[in-house]
Amino acid sequence: MVSNLLELSGVDYFAGSKHILSAIDLTVDAGMIYGLVGPNGSGKSTLLKLIARQIEPMSGTIRLDSKPLDAWGNRAFARNVAYMPQFTPATDGMSVRELVSLGRFPWHGTLGRFGAEDRRMVDEAISRTDLVHFSDRNVSSMSGGERQRAWIAMMLAQNARCLLLDEPTSALDLAHQASILSLVRSLTHERGLTVIVVLHDVNLAARYCDRIIALSKGSITAQGTPHAIMTAETLQTIFGVEMGVFSHPARREPVCYLL
């Protein structure tokens, strides 16, 4: 049975005098992939940071399992929610295994002992992301797609129920975009994860996401299944340009194009 994992009610966020997000009401169900789409500056990354507790809303409430985010302890929150920012931190000469091992921090803490269960989770995450042959490789020496897999492996080792991904396909070629999103979709189904992913390409969202949430000028302008969102009228409302839509000849999901 699908249950509400996250609930946002009346959420506002300002940067100085600029209203970045306004009156955001949103319910996120467990076990689904949500794609956040919209024009540049529409508030997608800000919304993800709010859910990730990187910043705090100016007003409104965000709840995880019906509990306000600020009522969660840091380690307890990190055991449930994992966040990958658009620009990942420097890895400072870390190997893949060292990076992935950081995902176990919420489970044993700074002074805790890295035990057999931690090693098992790290090994499983590296294997599931096809990085076994890269486990001793310096992360900074890897390609963009390989690095993204390493960060996703760290999130898997963290064993959180909800993954927040901010533009994980930016600067990747088409093959690596498809590879990363296919991996995320497979993991969602295998583990019953909830994923919220910021994507610039609405066609990628339509192909890999169960639901699409569209932002424009800091407000949610549309949300629903890909077929509900991918209409000429709705897309014009979201992006402000005329677009056409057709069904993919093999997969049948909707595909949009500029007129």
Side-chain angles (χ1 to χ4, degrees), residues 14-32:
F14 295 84
S17 61
K18 186 177 180 182
H19 214 155
I20 305 298
L21 291 171
S22 178
I24 299 295
D25 294 323
L26 179 65
T27 298
V28 174
D29 293 330
M32 304 181 75

Side-chain angles (χ1 to χ4, degrees), residues 52-54 56 64 67 69-82 105-107 109 158:
R53 293 206 322 184
Q54 301 297 301
E56 295 183 3
L64 171 67
K67 181 178 176 181
L69 291 195
D70 59 9
W72 287 82
N74 290 337
R75 285 178 60 188
F77 184 77
R79 290 177 178 182
N80 286 276
V81 178
F105 177 81
W107 298 92
Q158 191 172 330

Side-chain angles (χ1 to χ4, degrees), residues 4-143:
N4 296 343
L5 179 69
L6 288 160
E7 298 171 274
L8 288 75
S9 178
V11 171
D12 291 282
Y13 188 80
F14 295 84
S17 61
K18 186 177 180 182
H19 214 155
I20 305 298
L21 291 171
S22 178
I24 299 295
D25 294 323
L26 179 65
T27 298
V28 174
D29 293 330
M32 304 181 75
I33 305 178
Y34 289 80
L36 280 180
V37 305
N40 289 343
S42 58
K44 302 183 297 296
S45 293
T46 300
L47 180 56
L48 208 67
K49 287 177 183 178
L50 286 167
I51 297 171
R53 293 206 322 184
Q54 301 297 301
I55 54 178
E56 295 183 3
M58 305 301 187
S59 60
T61 59
I62 305 176
R63 297 177 181 274
L64 171 67
D65 284 342
S66 300
K67 181 178 176 181
L69 291 195
D70 59 9
W72 287 82
N74 290 337
R75 285 178 60 188
F77 184 77
R79 290 177 178 182
N80 286 276
V81 178
Y83 169 64
M84 185 170 76
Q86 181 179 355
F87 303 105
T88 52
T91 50
D92 296 326
M94 285 186 193
S95 69
V96 168
R97 180 169 293 279
E98 289 169 336
L99 176 63
V100 176
S101 295
L102 292 179
R104 298 304 300 162
F105 177 81
W107 298 92
H108 59 69
T110 305
L111 301 177
R113 190 172 178 179
F114 196 89
E117 177 65 9
D118 298 304
R119 284 189 290 274
R120 185 188 71 79
M121 294 295 293
V122 169
D123 288 342
E124 181 181 302
I126 289 174
S127 175
R128 185 60 189 84
T129 51
D130 296 325
L131 290 172
V132 173
H133 297 299
F134 295 89
S135 60
D136 296 321
R137 179 99 167 260
N138 191 310
V139 176
S140 62
S141 71
M142 299 166 72
S143 72

